[in-house]
């Protein structure tokens, strides 16, 4: 379990966030070859009663009246990963903590009225939000750079259904997909924020990508074919979009996550800056998460201590991401990756 402090939109104030993850047999979609950034496709077969007991014990430590996030390896609403009986026990344990708000992640394909209604029935009086992995609002970028073939229509349908039940849809937007240059990643992230806003998402959450062991991004990064985006590119995307939708208190609909993971056995490379600017950037981004408005970015906007911010500027000329992806595929095939693996990674 991890505890943090975040900005809550309903009501608009800072709250304690308790995040609980539990291990499963693995994400069904990642196991099928989707998602270039994740390594959650396989896991041990664990007795659901053992999982439920462990999650119940962890949740029992959370004080009542807080924001609670619960997630398996992949999707909470995937019955192949989280059997209905297991999900029921977990949601009942969440309800016992009387949280002011509950949030979880799933896929739009699994956002059915029945699944959502069952969840809401167990959490009466709790504000609920649902993360959906959009990655990019450009279907081509989502499919080719992130290996996620979900169509736009699926997200639009899920958003309409969630909003009709007063569940806040959260768009998880990736920054720095495979094949994208630093500037292309910035342009794609800013366009995706505007696209998901127009589609009806309540919160647009930007995730700068890291190289996790066992992922396609890590494989490409080890061969010089990809690197994590700069934290300056995240700041640039936030700056470009932060003022476009503000409440009366000066805060907006943007959020960020996973911008400062620890380097270790799981993460081998992360979004970063130089030794001069990195501490300032981390402090700035933490401040933005606690109060997500343009004023929180002032320290970065006025920074002149290094030239790192130029990384998000366009190259001249820019190579298309399709050309870069062709290089990745050529290297993949040259190393003799089995045909079955190639087919799976193609989504």
């Amino acid at each position: 379990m991890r505890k943090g402090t975040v900005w809550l939109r309903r009501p608009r104030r800072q709250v304690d966030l308790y995040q609980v993850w539990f291990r499963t047999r693995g994400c069904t979609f990642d196991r099928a070859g989707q998602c270039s950034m994740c390594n959650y496709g396989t896991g041990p077969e664990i007795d659901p009663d053992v999982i439920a007991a462990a999650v119940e014990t962890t949740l029992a430590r959370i004080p009542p009246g807080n924001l609670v996030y619960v997630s398996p390896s992949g999707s909470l609403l995937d019955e192949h990963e989280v059997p209905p009986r297991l999900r029921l026990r977990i949601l009942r344990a969440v309800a016992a903590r009387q949280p002011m708000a509950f949030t979880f992640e799933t896929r739009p394909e699994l956002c059915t009225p029945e699944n959502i209604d069952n969840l809401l029935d167990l959490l009466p009086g709790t504000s609920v939000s649902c993360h959906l992995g959009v990655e990019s609002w450009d279907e081509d970028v989502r499919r080719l750079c992130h290996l996620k073939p979900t169509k736009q229509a699926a997200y639009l349908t899920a958003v309409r259904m969630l909003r009709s039940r007063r569940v806040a849809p959260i768009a998880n937007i990736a920054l720095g997909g495979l094949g994208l240059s630093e500037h292309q990643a910035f342009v794609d992230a800013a366009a995706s924020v505007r696209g998901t806003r127009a589609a009806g998402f309540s919160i647009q959450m930007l995730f700068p990508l890291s190289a996790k062991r066992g992922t396609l991004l890590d494989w490409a990064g080890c061969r010089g074919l990809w690197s994590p985006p700069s934290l300056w590119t995240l700041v640039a995307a936030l700056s470009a979009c932060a003022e476009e939708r503000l409440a009366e208190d000066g805060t907006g609909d943007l959020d960020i996550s996973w911008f400062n993971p620890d380097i270790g056995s799981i993460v081998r490379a992360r979004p970063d800056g130089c030794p001069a600017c990195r501490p300032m950037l981390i402090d700035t981004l933490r401040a933005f998460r606690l109060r997500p408005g343009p004023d929180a970015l002032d320290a970065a906007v006025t920074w002149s201590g290094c030239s790192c911010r130029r990384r998000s500027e366009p190259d001249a000329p820019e190579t298309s991401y399709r050309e870069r992806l062709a290089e990745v595929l050529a290297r993949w095939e040259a190393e003799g990756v089995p045909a079955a693996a190639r087919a799976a990674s193609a989504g």
Side-chain angles (χ1 to χ4, degrees):
M1 180 171 66
R2 178 183 296 175
K3 179 186 176 184
T5 303
V6 297
W7 182 260
L8 192 67
R9 271 72 180 178
R10 294 183 297 177
R12 303 187 71 83
R13 64 182 178 86
Q14 293 179 14
V15 298
D16 286 335
L17 164 66
Y18 291 85
Q19 297 172 301
V20 177
W21 289 273
F22 60 95
R23 189 84 181 270
T24 66
R25 66 181 57 165
C27 173
T28 301
F29 297 89
D30 184 27
R31 193 162 55 249
Q34 297 185 29
C35 300
S36 59
M37 74 294 286
C38 291
N39 58 355
Y40 305 139
T42 58
E45 288 291 339
I46 306 174
D47 185 331
D49 288 332
V50 173
I51 297 175
V55 175
E56 288 165 346
T57 299
T58 301
L59 287 169
R61 294 158 42 200
I62 298 176
N66 291 289
L67 170 59
V68 176
Y69 171 88
V70 175
S71 181
S73 302
S75 170
L76 186 65
L77 300 185
D78 182 358
E79 65 179 30
H80 299 292
E81 182 183 5
V82 185
R85 182 169 168 270
L86 170 59
R87 184 165 68 239
L88 177 63
R89 283 186 62 178
I90 289 172
L91 291 175
R92 283 176 173 167
V94 171
R97 308 322 303 148
Q98 300 178 326
M100 74 160 54
F102 172 68
T103 184
F104 67 100
E105 182 170 355
T106 192
R107 299 273 300 218
E109 299 93 329
L110 303 170
C111 245
T112 65
E114 181 183 5
N115 279 339
I116 299 302
D117 289 343
N118 289 340
L119 184 149
L120 293 175
D121 287 345
L122 293 164
L123 294 165
T126 298
S127 176
V128 177
S129 56
C130 174
H131 289 258
L132 298 175
V134 172
E135 318 312 345
S136 171
W137 200 240
D138 182 318
E139 280 194 354
D140 205 42
V141 171
R142 187 189 308 137
R143 179 174 62 89
L144 296 177
C145 300
H146 301 293
L147 300 184
K148 211 162 192 176
T150 307
K151 298 293 186 182
Q152 219 81 320
Y155 291 99
L156 294 170
T157 299
V159 167
R160 285 193 298 269
M161 188 274 296
L162 290 168
R163 291 181 69 91
S164 73
R165 287 158 170 77
R166 298 185 61 80
V167 175
I170 299 176
N172 290 354
I173 297 170
L175 176 69
L178 184 64
L180 298 177
S181 71
E182 199 83 34
H183 180 67
Q184 289 166 345
F186 156 71
V187 170
D188 178 69
S192 294
V193 166
R194 292 165 183 142
T196 53
R197 279 173 173 164
F201 282 88
S202 300
I203 299 171
Q204 332 311 318
M205 181 173 281
L206 272 65
F207 289 72
L209 296 177
S210 298
K212 296 180 182 177
R213 290 179 184 271
T215 66
L216 181 58
L217 291 186
D218 181 49
W219 179 91
C222 290
R223 290 153 179 79
L225 298 171
W226 178 84
S227 60
S230 166
L231 288 174
W232 282 105
T233 305
L234 176 58
V235 169
L238 295 172
S239 297
C241 302
E243 293 190 19
E244 296 174 352
R245 183 173 293 184
L246 293 177
E248 291 182 1
D249 63 2
T251 63
D253 64 345
L254 299 179
D255 202 350
I256 52 177
S257 190
W258 292 105
F259 57 88
N260 187 35
D262 293 330
I263 298 293
S265 60
I266 297 176
V267 175
R268 292 210 275 199
R270 66 185 176 190
D272 240 328
C274 73
C277 67
R278 185 179 188 279
M280 178 277 299
L281 288 169
I282 295 300
D283 288 345
T284 297
L285 293 168
R286 284 173 174 162
F288 184 88
R289 189 147 204 231
L290 289 175
R291 191 169 178 81
D295 292 349
L297 301 172
D298 284 349
V301 171
T302 60
W303 174 262
S304 60
C306 65
S307 60
C308 292
R309 71 166 71 244
R310 296 176 186 167
R311 281 183 56 182
S312 62
E313 297 175 357
D315 297 329
E318 279 272 84
T319 303
S320 77
Y321 65 82
R322 284 178 173 268
E323 290 181 59
R324 294 193 189 91
L325 291 174
E327 291 182 42
V328 173
L329 178 59
R331 184 65 174 271
W332 183 272
E333 292 179 331
E335 294 191 11
V337 178
R342 291 201 301 273
S345 295

